Amino acid sequence: MSPGNPVTGGAERCTLCAEPPVIRLPEPDRHLCAAHLIADVEERAALTIQERELIKPHDRIAVAFSGGKDSTALLLILTRLLPAWEDVSLVAITVDEGIAGYRDDTIRAAEEVTKKLRIEHVCISFTDLIGDDLDTLLIGRETQACSVCGILRRKALLVAAHKAGATKIATGHNLDDEAQSVLMNTLRGDLPRLVRTSDADSSGCFIPRIKPLADISEKEIAAYLFVQDMFPFLPECPYTRYALRLEVRSMLSALEQKHPGTMRNLMKSKRAIEKHVDPGAISEPLRRCRECGDPCSGELCQVCMLRKSLGK
Ligand code: SF4
Ligand code: ZN
């Protein structure tokens, strides 16, 4: 790499060996070559799993696998770490929301990756779940795309994971996603969501969710895949433009660039708040939906409320 390269901060050698660096990382400040970047990312994911006890012997992990970069990295990392656990199996689940010009490409990419990694792969569609695809459900209500999509995707994942006999659902949320959620929940004044434990729904009614990449930044994940020729170049969802997350994302990226460590500091603040707030004291007690029996906080679960509003 040439001196002055903004990606590597001008260093000519990896901090750990004589190879040229491909990335500069903060805290601690280091320049890593491709091999050391791969090792660093995989070690940190393993550490997150170990410290938060995310995976136990005999777990069957359903990986929420969109075919995008985060879930591709997650699947690759879990496949490599798999021998470290006793009798743990993986199944990749792809949810087909039914978004024209976007989802077909990502499903194809997902099929290629699971074939290459020899991972069992199942698909579930919104049409299977609710009788229509997302594009049809959103006619006249496009600005609500991400909330409708999020509610149905969570349910679809749960249904498919349950069917596949999964004991955990792993998602590819990275440090940027987590920091964005902290800021979004703060902006919305949603304290219960802000302090909801990051690692798993521990209500006993859901399949617990785990986020093994929660401490790894989007930049590191992109570079991790790129140096292994596994970066998926895919179209962006056409509804992204309606998402509040998009504004928060660009604001946080700008702050992170100017003040490295901003995202990690946001996560530190969240953990500090979590220690002082009892989620049970500020959340509605868990009940059963009177329509479908799923656990929820009100009379109806979000899916049944959505069904009603869609006239389904
Ligand atoms: Fe769904 Fe919104 Fe993501 Fe598109 S951007 S896949 S609509 S959550
Ligand atoms: Zn319900």
Side-chain angles (χ1 to χ4, degrees):
M1 290 282 153
S2 62
N5 181 326
V7 179
T8 61
E12 287 178 8
R13 291 164 59 125
C14 169
T15 305
L16 301 171
C17 72
E19 291 297 313
V22 294
I23 194 166
R24 178 182 185 175
L25 298 176
E27 299 180 274
D29 189 20
R30 59 212 195 278
H31 308 87
L32 297 180
C33 67
H36 279 113
L37 166 68
I38 295 169
D40 188 86
V41 166
E42 290 176 0
E43 274 163 27
R44 278 187 298 132
L47 198 68
T48 301
I49 293 169
Q50 193 189 349
E51 283 179 354
R52 299 182 196 168
E53 298 180 355
L54 301 185
I55 297 178
K56 301 236 162 76
H58 316 298
D59 262 341
R60 179 154 166 81
I61 316 279
V63 180
F65 185 49
S66 69
K69 68 176 178 351
D70 299 316
S71 56
T72 299
L74 176 63
L75 204 59
L76 187 57
I77 291 169
L78 290 183
T79 308
R80 290 185 181 159
L81 297 180
L82 207 58
W85 303 296
E86 188 193 333
D87 184 31
V88 167
S89 61
L90 300 178
V91 51
I93 296 175
T94 302
V95 178
D96 178 1
E97 302 92 346
I99 303 173
Y102 163 67
R103 203 26 111 196
D104 287 352
D105 286 349
T106 59
I107 289 179
R108 249 193 311 277
E111 279 165 358
E112 274 171 31
V113 172
T114 47
K115 217 165 144 189
K116 188 169 168 181
L117 299 178
R118 298 182 188 188
I119 304 278
E120 183 185 341
H121 184 212
V122 295
C123 281
I124 178 167
S125 71
F126 280 9
T127 309
D128 297 335
L129 191 72
I130 198 164
D132 269 318
D133 59 27
L134 188 66
D135 286 341
T136 309
L137 294 172
L138 289 178
I139 295 172
R141 54 170 81 210
E142 289 80 1
T143 54
Q144 298 166 26
C146 296
S147 52
V148 172
C149 180
I151 291 169
L152 294 178
R153 184 139 36 86
R154 267 193 299 280
K155 177 71 178 179
L157 255 179
L158 210 55
V159 169
H162 193 71
K163 208 168 155 193
T167 54
K168 304 263 166 67
I169 294 176
T171 64
H173 291 90
N174 59 41
L175 175 64
D176 299 48
D177 298 323
E178 294 296 277
Q180 287 157 17
S181 296
V182 170
L183 199 53
M184 283 164 68
N185 290 329
T186 307
L187 292 173
R188 288 177 177 139
D190 193 339
L191 188 61
R193 239 179 230 267
L194 179 68
V195 300
R196 196 172 290 168
T197 169
S198 341
D199 298 337
D201 279 314
S202 47
S203 61
C205 304
F206 296 104
I207 300 176
R209 283 174 172 252
I210 59 171
K211 300 173 184 172
L213 308 186
D215 291 325
I216 301 171
S217 71
E218 192 174 327
K219 173 180 155 184
E220 291 165 276
I221 288 172
Y224 169 80
L225 290 174
F226 201 74
V227 296
Q228 299 178 83
D229 223 5
M230 296 268 306
F231 187 92
F233 291 95
L234 293 167
E236 196 163 62
C237 172
Y239 298 112
T240 309
R241 64 179 181 277
Y242 299 115
L244 166 66
R245 188 173 282 275
L246 194 67
E247 290 172 57
V248 171
R249 182 184 171 184
S250 56
M251 187 170 86
L252 258 183
S253 308
L255 278 172
E256 179 70 36
Q257 209 160 6
K258 213 166 159 195
H259 309 285
T262 296
M263 289 197 274
R264 284 190 195 282
N265 289 341
L266 257 180
M267 295 313 296
K268 263 189 227 160
S269 305
K270 173 191 154 81
R271 281 191 282 272
I273 296 170
E274 267 174 4
K275 273 191 200 145
H276 296 284
V277 179
D278 170 12
I282 54 165
S283 307
E284 293 284 324
L286 214 60
R287 301 154 61 169
R288 291 270 169 192
C289 170
R290 72 174 148 76
E291 292 284 329
C292 72
D294 271 8
C296 62
S297 52
E299 288 264 295
L300 289 176
C301 71
Q302 283 187 310
V303 177
C304 287
M305 277 197 280
L306 186 64
R307 273 184 201 278
K308 278 205 182 321
S309 76
L310 295 170
K312 289 269 164 195

